Amino acid sequence: MRTISSSAPALGSRPRPGLTTSRPRARAKALAFGVLACGLLSGCVADLRPGPLRRRDRAEEEACGRGVLDAAARRQHTEGAAPWSTLPAVGVRFSDSYFGLVGLLACPWPTDPATVDLAFVPGTDISTATFQSGEGRETWGIHGWNAWSQQGQGEVSYDDHARTEFWLPTLQYFCELPFRLAGAEIVDCGGRTTIQIEGIEKEVDQVYVTWGSYAPHPRNDQYLAFVDTQTGFLVRADFTVRDLAGFAKGRVLYRDFRQVGDYWLPHRIQIGGNPPDDMLHELVVEAWTLEGVTVSQPDPSRPKRPKP
């Protein structure tokens, strides 16, 4: 296996008495991103398009936008590296920490922070997450939108697992967002601007991404990607959370890029309303694994379910 370890200090875990990992879908989604909605009401449906793009009814600079996203994805490949999407599976071990009252309620794990081993097939919704629970090691998994769970080596359960359907695809998407945005249906160039991250000013290219229709609508999310013109990395993305509410939106920061085999990968991912000042949770990566990863599918013959 090829891995690289983070130099970040190990984080302890504090138990979360009275909280369980089995929750109804509405509560899982609302709590997970509740902090993102606070004070972020913009009409009925949030619109992430930069000012000039709000006057458009279709993408006018698609080639420019896709070019910026393609270049950002290539920047995370070393010369001669195989495309990320061709990797059979990827593993990432991270410490997931939650902040504030909403973080206390949103955390899906039985401890906070929790050390999680996430394994996934790039570009799909096939993944597993293994972590320590009060009864030993626990695994959640999803394939074909069939969610399952297993305690240790016990029996696999394919009952309703709303928290798995929400958390696993969400965590995977954030882990590989720079490689997936360029495949969106609608892409437009938002122009060059400057942003600040922890007081450091960065010149960035903005790219607007969505699906369905160019204008905001309640079914599909929007993303506004920010690519650092100096490093070439995607360092920030603003996003909507239509599953929660039309007006809900948040932000993810990608930091501490390090070379892992043939790729440059982030080792700190911060998510919230305006991280790092307003942060829901933070993933501190201990190791990425690019070879020898197995993503369990206990019953691969199960019919594919519709996406929730």
Side-chain angles (χ1 to χ4, degrees):
M1 296 184 182
R2 259 189 325 203
T3 64
I4 188 168
S5 297
S6 169
S7 59
L11 297 176
S13 295
R14 53 186 183 270
R16 305 173 60 80
L19 297 182
T20 65
T21 56
S22 179
R23 303 172 184 179
R25 176 179 294 116
R27 185 178 178 215
K29 292 186 176 183
L31 293 179
F33 287 100
V35 70
L36 307 182
C38 296
L40 295 174
L41 182 61
S42 177
C44 293
V45 180
D47 187 359
L48 300 185
R49 292 177 296 173
L53 271 61
R54 296 191 181 201
R55 296 190 289 270
R56 301 178 183 177
D57 57 8
R58 60 182 177 82
E60 296 182 4
E61 297 181 80
E62 179 179 357
C64 168
R66 292 194 186 278
V68 171
L69 293 179
D70 286 340
R74 289 196 306 272
R75 176 65 179 87
Q76 290 191 225
H77 294 68
T78 60
E79 186 175 354
W84 176 262
S85 60
T86 65
L87 294 176
V90 171
V92 55
R93 169 173 286 190
F94 55 79
S95 176
D96 194 7
S97 302
Y98 287 74
F99 304 92
L101 177 60
V102 176
L104 176 70
L105 297 173
C107 177
W109 320 116
T111 62
D112 177 15
T115 298
V116 180
D117 289 300
L118 181 70
F120 57 86
V121 178
T124 73
D125 290 313
I126 301 172
S127 62
T128 62
T130 302
F131 53 93
Q132 189 72 28
S133 70
E135 302 177 13
R137 298 290 283 175
E138 183 174 349
T139 300
W140 298 348
I142 190 168
H143 61 88
W145 288 102
N146 291 291
W148 56 274
S149 68
Q150 183 181 30
Q151 287 280 355
Q153 299 300 314
E155 183 178 354
V156 172
S157 168
Y158 270 99
D159 294 335
D160 182 33
H161 297 294
R163 90 286 195 197
T164 304
E165 292 178 355
F166 175 69
W167 279 106
L168 262 62
T170 298
L171 288 169
Q172 176 184 346
Y173 200 74
F174 279 128
C175 283
E176 57 174 351
L177 184 70
F179 301 109
R180 295 183 68 166
L181 280 183
E185 178 186 355
I186 298 169
V187 176
D188 203 2
C189 196
R192 184 161 290 183
T193 188
T194 58
I195 61 173
Q196 285 202 352
I197 298 179
E198 287 196 318
I200 300 175
E201 191 169 271
K202 295 180 179 291
E203 183 183 64
V204 293
D205 288 322
Q206 302 175 98
V207 182
Y208 169 64
V209 170
T210 193
W211 295 259
S213 69
Y214 190 82
H217 59 99
R219 281 195 55 84
N220 291 322
D221 282 312
Q222 297 174 313
Y223 287 82
L224 186 62
F226 297 82
V227 177
D228 189 329
T229 59
Q230 182 175 2
T231 66
F233 291 131
L234 189 153
V235 294
R236 172 181 140 186
D238 296 351
F239 57 91
T240 60
V241 194
R242 304 296 194 219
D243 282 351
L244 171 60
F247 56 81
K249 55 186 178 180
R251 177 169 297 165
V252 56
L253 299 183
Y254 293 95
R255 308 175 67 183
D256 192 12
F257 286 84
R258 307 181 197 174
Q259 187 172 350
V260 184
D262 293 335
Y263 307 89
W264 285 89
L265 300 173
H267 281 67
R268 190 177 294 269
I269 301 174
Q270 299 172 320
I271 302 168
N274 183 26
D277 298 321
D278 176 12
M279 192 150 59
L280 175 64
H281 69 127
E282 178 180 48
L283 310 181
V284 178
V285 173
E286 297 178 13
W288 291 88
T289 303
L290 306 179
E291 293 179 347
V293 179
T294 300
V295 185
S296 298
Q297 298 182 56
D299 185 3
S301 64
R302 291 179 75 90
K304 186 173 182 179
R305 297 176 61 242
K307 183 177 179 179

